[in-house]
């Protein structure tokens, strides 16, 4: 969403001035003239940042009410959870891999770590506070975690995994990507998911100084956009929905109440105010 606030060519068009913002939302049908939906149905859409809207059936996705709260379909069973699932599949994460995840206490990162653990991996995460580190260790089952603000990232990563890592799930870019390039073992893989450390920069930062590691270690780096994988959504919902129902994957969110607080909640993402998915709950 931050990228859509800048003009220029991207994988999604920029927001228009004077128009409501789009964003993931879950809610209830209040009136329907389409046979596909009836009042009371729970649906997800990309019409967030407003209290009511009119949409065609193809713009809505039905979800069940057996898993609560419904906001789970914005996080763990929504686009951020699917992003974690797709990223792990993209580089064929397998049992025995050591997986390092940056932004690990966020909506994508915490699910990526939990799913990696279910695959038999060793999961290590970086986050921005001591409280978030404890969340990763105690609630998400990470094997190791550290506060990237407490010292050099590479030193802390080496302490958490002295023998290196096999996979780096990148949500932040910057210094952490450079540290991961140093820590990755031969034939390691990088999931290029996000780079939030640089989203608010006026101009792009210089790239990692140690990119030559890609050659010497024969590394693979793959980028993706989750919307390219929507034809796999039913498969994702079945697998991860089963984990959620069985209590094997926990859903974590930070809830801010009121549409009038939406902008502050969004800005809070860049200040690290969220654990898990940042959700704005409407009255």
């Amino acid at each position: 969403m931050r990228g859509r606030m800048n003009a220029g060519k991207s994988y999604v068009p920029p927001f228009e001035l004077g128009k409501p913002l789009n964003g993931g939302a879950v809610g209830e049908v209040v009136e329907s003239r389409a046979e596909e939906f009836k009042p009371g149905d729970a649906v997800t859409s990309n019409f967030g940042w407003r209290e009511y809207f009119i949409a065609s059936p193809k713009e809505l996705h039905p979800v069940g009410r057996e898993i609560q709260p419904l906001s789970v379909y914005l996080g763990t069973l929504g686009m951020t959870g699917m992003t974690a699932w797709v990223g792990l599949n993209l580089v064929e994460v397998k049992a025995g891999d050591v997986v390092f995840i940056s932004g690990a206490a966020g909506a994508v990162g915490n699910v990526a770590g939990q799913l990696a653990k279910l695959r038999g991996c060793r999961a290590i995460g970086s986050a921005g506070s001591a409280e978030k580190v404890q969340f990763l260790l105690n609630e998400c089952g990470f094997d190791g975690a550290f506060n990237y603000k407490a010292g050099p990232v590479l030193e802390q990563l080496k302490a958490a995994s002295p023998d290196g890592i096999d996979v780096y799930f990148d949500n932040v870019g910057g210094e952490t990507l450079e540290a991961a390039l140093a820590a990755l073992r031969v034939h390691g893989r990088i999931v290029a998911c996000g780079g939030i450390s640089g989203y608010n920069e006026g101009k792009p930062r210089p790239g990692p100084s140690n990119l030559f590691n890609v050659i010497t270690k024969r590394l693979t780096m793959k980028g993706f956009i989750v919307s390219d994988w929507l034809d796999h959504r039913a498969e994702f919902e079945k697998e991860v929905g089963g984990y959620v129902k069985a209590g094997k994957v926990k859903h974590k969110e930070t809830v801010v109440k009121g549409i009038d607080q939406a902008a502050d909640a969004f800005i809070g993402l860049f200040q690290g105010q969220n654990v898990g998915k940042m959700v704005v709950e409407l009255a």
Side-chain angles (χ1 to χ4, degrees), residues 103 126-129 133 146-153 156 172 175-176 272:
S126 63
S129 72
V133 167
F146 60 87
N147 179 358
Y148 70 86
K149 297 176 182 177
V153 174
Q156 296 193 81
V172 305
E175 177 192 358
T176 309

Side-chain angles (χ1 to χ4, degrees), residues 61-248:
H61 177 67
V63 295
R65 293 181 180 272
E66 63 272 14
I67 300 177
Q68 292 288 331
L70 280 180
S71 49
V72 70
Y73 292 105
L74 300 180
T76 304
L77 293 181
M79 283 301 104
T80 52
M82 188 169 173
T83 299
W85 181 81
V86 168
L88 296 179
N89 289 342
L90 191 70
V91 300
E92 299 176 355
V93 169
K94 61 187 185 303
D97 281 340
V98 178
V99 181
F100 170 47
I101 301 158
S102 57
V108 175
N110 85 85
V111 177
Q114 293 183 72
L115 293 179
K117 288 295 297 177
L118 287 169
R119 292 189 182 197
C121 301
R122 186 165 185 268
I124 299 164
S126 63
S129 72
E131 292 78 14
K132 290 181 178 181
V133 167
Q134 290 305 308
F135 162 67
L136 295 175
L137 295 173
N138 299 331
E139 295 189 44
C140 298
F142 278 60
D143 298 283
F146 60 87
N147 179 358
Y148 70 86
K149 297 176 182 177
V153 174
L154 181 56
E155 288 182 13
Q156 296 193 81
L157 179 55
K158 284 182 174 179
S161 187
D163 296 327
I165 61 175
D166 300 295
V167 176
Y168 171 45
F169 198 116
D170 189 15
N171 291 308
V172 305
E175 177 192 358
T176 309
L177 173 57
E178 193 163 291
L181 283 163
L184 278 158
R185 299 195 273 233
V186 172
H187 299 302
R189 295 97 78 202
I190 299 171
V191 182
C193 179
I196 197 171
S197 69
Y199 289 167
N200 287 329
E201 297 288 333
K203 59 182 180 180
R205 296 180 187 175
S209 63
N210 59 346
L211 204 55
F212 198 67
N213 278 312
V214 173
I215 298 169
T216 59
K217 296 180 180 181
R218 287 82 85 195
L219 304 178
T220 300
M221 184 173 187
K222 290 186 177 182
F224 72 101
I225 302 298
V226 70
S227 56
D228 293 340
W229 291 69
L230 290 181
D231 55 337
H232 292 272
R233 179 150 64 175
E235 181 186 349
F236 155 73
E237 289 178 343
K238 181 179 179 181
E239 179 184 338
V240 181
Y243 293 146
V244 172
K245 288 178 184 176
K248 293 180 178 180

Side-chain angles (χ1 to χ4, degrees), residues 16-80:
E16 297 180 56
L17 292 175
K19 300 284 183 68
L21 303 184
N22 293 325
V26 63
E28 182 177 288
V29 175
V30 293
E31 183 181 341
S32 176
R33 299 177 187 176
E35 60 184 25
E36 293 93 335
F37 296 99
K38 64 182 185 300
D41 286 349
V43 296
T44 58
S45 75
N46 200 40
F47 288 92
W49 298 78
R50 69 204 80 187
E51 292 169 307
Y52 295 92
F53 60 83
I54 298 171
S56 64
K58 66 181 180 181
E59 295 171 303
L60 304 174
H61 177 67
V63 295
R65 293 181 180 272
E66 63 272 14
I67 300 177
Q68 292 288 331
L70 280 180
S71 49
V72 70
Y73 292 105
L74 300 180
T76 304
L77 293 181
M79 283 301 104
T80 52

